Amino acid sequence: MRRTFLGMPATAPRGVGHLRGEEPFPAAARRGLADPQLRRNLGHATTTIRAKSGAVIGELPDWQALREAGAAIKTDVLARLPELLEQLEVAVTAAGGIVHWAADAVEANRIVTELVAATGSDRVIKVKSMATQEIGLNEALEAAGISAVETDLAELIVQLGEDRPSHILVPAIHRNRAEIREIFLQAMPGVDPSLTDDPPALAAAARRFLRETFLTTRVAVSGANFAVAETGTLAVVESEGNGRMCLTLPETLITVMGVEKVVPTWRDLEVFLQLLPRSSTGERMNPYTSMWSGVTPGDGPQAFHLVLLDNGRSAVLADEVGRQALRCIRCSACLNVCPVYERAGGHAYGSVYPGPIGAVLSPQLTGVEENASLPYASTLCGACYDACPVKINIPELLVHLRDRAPHPKAEAAAMAAAAYVMDRPALYAAAQRAARLSRFAGRRGRGLPPPLSGWTIGRDLPQPPEHTFREWWAQR
Ligand code: SF4
């Protein structure tokens, strides 16, 4: 039986791409809930990250002021996004880069594929990037005969395991080290068969595999955490150094960046480079922060292309309530505190953006009717709002999107009937008396009849009180 709650559409349309799942959230979540290993892995990982993050955030007396500043800078960016993007284009071009504008995933994939093909290379190395996952770049390149090698360790685990990422920051969070060892043994070329599941041994095996690829690949593809409009500087933050190898060794660098990643000035990075590591990995600063502006003769890639990706973002921007989702810096703090994410896992969200931010961003990027169950993937507890370093009011957005989602006809009929009854005092009093009779129906009386039964499948119907307020009032 499908578990449906009042107001939640029973199905989500099927679609291609990486912003939509093949099934609605409740159906996909049931698989995650039934997997005890997944729940153990997720519980352990999110608890560890939460503790680390909480400790380093607690060290900063001005954390709340930093959050305010981050939110204010992003709000300003969204208010004048076209102007800042044009400023960025001028600055990147002046520094020797080439800027491309992509309206959607299809156009972005075509641009990148043509750029790689023009270099004559049939392989690219990749820096971890949510934007390229969102557009399905690896699949588009593969279709053109170009292989893409993920160099972030967790992304590599996902790629070798022919799996899907389940966390923004830790894509293989659903895997434990024994599972990772199995994946390496089965899919990593040249791996030592005596490999153990000791984390340093696993990291060393990945390093050996990647080193050769770094040194022999001429094209790299990255995303960007930030782009500074005034200087044309792109920034990538990461923990392993593999990203920096990609950003410095190849001859050609192609960066795909969502348009909302621009910040006005270099000084603005001061705020985000404090907010991001503490919220994401629980570190005081990122181990590797790479920045580049265009090209520098004799130093690093000699050709740089920046692909500015819309893919639904303009539509999000047009919604005055919804646009705050574009402030997101992809730190994943909201995932790590979310009780729904921790139990259901990232795959249940269908999109590459899981957890609370995925529940509000994906439906907006695709149009809420194509991801209609996601705004319901929350208890509205508010932990995500408290954790978010740029103060995105995710519960407010969830309610906003629930309002905009298509609603079942049965719900509209039930609401119309309720309004009719509540508008007529005698009828309302009679309905209350009738409801009280259900007290005598015992446990069988806890549910509602179809089509309202969806509401009571997952929750108890409250027992009607012995006396209504009107009766209590009349007695006095
Ligand atoms: S919504 Fe906030 S907490 Fe969640 S990933 Fe984005 S910035 Fe981080």
Side-chain angles (χ1 to χ4, degrees), residues 185 188-196 205 208:
L185 287 176
M188 183 178 279
V191 73
D192 180 352
S194 63
L195 180 69
T196 68
R208 271 192 299 276

Side-chain angles (χ1 to χ4, degrees), residues 2 9-12 21-29 348 373:
R2 187 185 299 283
T11 58
E22 290 295 314
E23 53 192 347
F25 180 84
S373 64

Side-chain angles (χ1 to χ4, degrees), residues 346-428:
H347 292 161
Y349 296 79
S351 162
V352 295
Y353 300 111
I357 183 59
V360 295
L361 186 60
S362 307
Q364 293 198 83
L365 290 173
T366 60
V368 68
E369 62 287 347
E370 293 201 25
N371 258 315
S373 64
L374 285 185
Y376 294 87
S378 168
T379 61
L380 300 181
C381 71
C384 48
Y385 184 25
D386 292 339
C388 179
V390 286
K391 298 190 77 166
I392 298 173
N393 190 337
I394 294 177
E396 179 190 35
L397 277 179
L398 289 163
V399 173
H400 174 66
L401 292 170
R402 288 179 189 187
D403 189 40
R404 287 178 43 204
H407 287 247
K409 286 203 176 86
E411 182 193 340
M415 290 300 165
Y420 184 87
V421 171
M422 288 177 178
D423 225 17
R424 290 162 177 77
L427 204 52
Y428 185 59

Side-chain angles (χ1 to χ4, degrees), residues 328-334 357 388-390 392 394:
C328 177
I329 55 174
R330 310 281 190 264
C331 72
S332 72
C334 57
I357 183 59
C388 179
V390 286
I392 298 173
I394 294 177

Side-chain angles (χ1 to χ4, degrees), residues 335-347:
L335 279 64
N336 299 330
V337 298
C338 177
V340 176
Y341 172 84
E342 186 174 322
R343 284 154 184 82
H347 292 161

Side-chain angles (χ1 to χ4, degrees), residues 11 58 162 177 222-223 248 422 445:
T11 58
E162 297 180 4
R177 59 196 206 181
S222 84
T248 51
M422 288 177 178

